[in-house]
Amino acid sequence: MKLIMPSMKVEDTMTSSLVLHATEAGNGRQTRQANQRYKDPSIRLEERELKPLAPDGLRLQMLRVGICGTDIHMTQKDPNGYVRCSAPASIPEHGRILGHEGIGRVIATGADVSSFRVGEIVAPESVLSCGLCRPCRAGAFNQCRHARLLGMENDGLFSAIADVPARSAVGIHRLAESEQGLQMAACLEPAGVALLTGLKAQMSPGDKVLIFGAGPIGLLCAMMARRLHGASAVCMVEPSAYRRDFAAAWTDQVVESVEALETPDGGWDVVVEASGILANVNTVFRQIAPCGRVALLGRGGEALLVEAVDHMITNAISVMGLRGHLGGVYERLIDLCVSGVLPLDRIVSTTMEGLDKLCHVLERPDSISSADCKIVVKLSS
């Protein structure tokens, strides 16, 4: 693909952005969902003033962005009017620019940046770690004590122009030569979560894997269980008929509810909860095999109930929470995409153009799970 230099001027001071507004519910009050404190979310397109570029920053003309379940949950209300999302978030009075998945072309670099040039296409990582705290120094960047989440605690990528720290950016030039490559690059962030899930849950050849939720991350977990880890059985539970059809390519069995599941001989070696409904884990816990692993990915703000504790102890079953994708995960994914092992673009169900279309979708978030899977939005060429 021929490199097209940006039509925007570096000296532009304003940019169109998709901004979430919400009302803080007094003194940071916490609800049942531990990190919630905002009510009555609304989203709109705004012209926002660009701040001076930080010395360690990159200014990106955004090319493609992906809609994550977290973005959807940030725009939804629970029955009490609170923002549904339970992930860490900070929404200032002037609003928060959403978006943590995407790729952009560098149109300016900070004074201290020497690792990127204007014109390069990069994918920002969504967990902004400090690199200095004890977990970071131990290589556990996803568990940084001072982490900031892009599009949640820092302004994100749903903008014509976005600023990100250079240390969070990964060059994707090997994927930038084709339309398929750019679509795959737009899916790197959720794919990074799925890749870490397989690694941390120690998926191995012959494992029987059960996944709750056929959203993008659940689908990517299924794809990797089959293509990377050699699972002998990959099964999914998903209430949406559309998503069940979409998941069929990567699964041996995909059912509407847990009652329709056929438990394999010996039980499940790995259970991945990617739907945010933690009660799912309890329903299948007695069907987990000895030395089985449970990976929790979907946030729902619920308590985790495990009734079969004796089964857990007797069978040495592990339960782990996972987030993020740091530590060289993007680079590994790019290698797997270029080699043809992981066709990440195959999870994309809809591609649309423009922030106005993105705004329209997020104004009606409840319709996405029933009629779509992964939505990628083109913001520029």
Side-chain angles (χ1 to χ4, degrees):
M1 174 175 288
K2 183 179 179 180
L3 181 65
I4 302 173
M5 294 306 291
S7 58
M8 297 180 181
K9 297 181 177 64
V10 175
E11 63 267 23
D12 284 347
T13 60
M14 304 293 290
T15 185
S16 296
S17 303
L18 196 57
V19 183
L20 176 75
H21 293 269
T23 302
E24 187 156 4
N27 300 319
R29 175 190 165 199
Q30 293 184 337
T31 69
R32 172 180 64 87
Q33 298 181 356
N35 293 305
Q36 273 188 328
R37 65 180 195 268
Y38 300 102
K39 295 190 78 170
D40 302 321
S42 64
I43 191 149
R44 59 180 180 260
L45 274 175
E46 297 179 6
E47 290 295 311
R48 299 292 291 263
E49 185 174 2
L50 291 168
K51 299 176 182 178
L53 184 58
D56 65 345
L58 296 178
R59 179 154 292 169
L60 306 180
Q61 177 188 9
M62 294 309 300
L63 304 181
R64 282 167 170 76
V65 294
I67 299 178
C68 175
T70 302
D71 301 315
I72 297 168
H73 295 163
M74 286 293 287
T75 64
Q76 291 176 315
K77 302 176 188 178
D78 73 6
N80 297 313
Y82 285 92
V83 170
R84 180 182 169 193
C85 181
S86 65
S90 171
I91 307 173
E93 287 187 10
H94 61 273
R96 172 68 66 211
I97 300 174
L98 293 178
H100 57 271
E101 301 178 10
I103 55 174
R105 181 181 288 112
V106 178
I107 59 173
T109 60
D112 295 342
V113 176
S114 59
S115 52
F116 293 100
R117 298 178 297 108
V118 170
E120 289 189 67
I121 300 178
V122 302
E125 296 174 318
S126 66
V127 180
L128 308 178
S129 59
C130 73
L132 299 173
C133 67
R134 185 168 182 171
C136 283
R137 290 173 66 85
F141 300 104
N142 288 314
Q143 281 66 58
C144 172
R145 290 176 177 171
H146 310 293
R148 303 280 294 180
L149 301 184
L150 189 65
M152 302 286 289
E153 297 170 296
N154 281 27
D155 280 341
L157 305 179
F158 289 173
S159 189
I161 300 175
D163 292 348
V164 299
R167 70 179 184 276
S168 75
V170 176
I172 62 140
H173 62 277
R174 289 190 294 156
L175 294 176
E177 299 299 317
S178 68
E179 176 69 18
Q180 181 189 22
L182 290 171
Q183 290 286 85
M184 288 194 286
C187 298
L188 285 173
E189 200 278 343
V193 178
L195 181 63
L196 270 189
T197 300
L199 295 174
K200 296 291 187 180
Q202 300 178 354
M203 287 189 191
S204 303
D207 274 353
K208 303 175 187 72
V209 179
L210 172 62
I211 301 167
F212 287 98
I217 290 178
L219 283 176
L220 288 163
C221 286
M223 179 190 295
M224 293 182 193
R226 172 127 309 159
R227 289 205 163 213
L228 294 184
H229 305 296
S232 62
V234 180
C235 301
M236 298 190 82
V237 178
E238 170 55 55
S240 164
Y242 176 89
R243 290 189 170 186
R244 289 199 300 275
D245 289 342
F246 212 77
W250 310 108
T251 56
D252 300 288
Q253 180 188 180
V254 55
V255 296
E256 181 177 4
S257 65
V258 70
E259 290 77 16
L261 265 180
E262 297 179 11
T263 303
D265 291 343
W268 304 106
D269 298 295
V270 178
V271 175
V272 177
E273 209 311 293
S275 74
I277 303 174
L278 295 183
N280 288 325
V281 175
N282 194 50
T283 62
V284 299
F285 210 90
R286 292 186 185 277
Q287 285 75 55
I288 298 175
C291 300
R293 289 83 68 199
V294 178
L296 306 179
L297 305 182
R299 293 179 185 263
E302 303 174 354
L304 174 65
L305 171 65
V306 176
E307 294 176 319
V309 175
D310 283 342
H311 179 78
M312 181 179 184
I313 294 170
T314 300
N315 292 282
I317 295 168
S318 302
V319 179
M320 67 194 77
L322 293 162
R323 77 159 183 183
H325 46 73
L326 304 185
V329 170
Y330 275 19
E331 290 85 349
R332 296 171 74 171
L333 283 169
I334 291 169
D335 288 340
L336 290 165
C337 290
V338 171
S339 68
V341 173
L342 289 181
L344 300 185
D345 59 304
R346 287 185 57 185
I347 71 163
V348 178
S349 54
T350 298
T351 301
M352 59 182 61
E353 295 190 13
L355 282 171
D356 55 339
K357 295 285 183 62
L358 175 56
C359 184
H360 181 77
V361 168
L362 289 180
E363 286 174 336
R364 298 158 180 79
D366 295 341
S367 65
I368 295 177
S369 62
S370 61
D372 234 311
C373 187
K374 186 63 182 177
I375 300 175
V376 171
V377 185
K378 293 184 180 180
L379 301 185
S380 185
S381 55

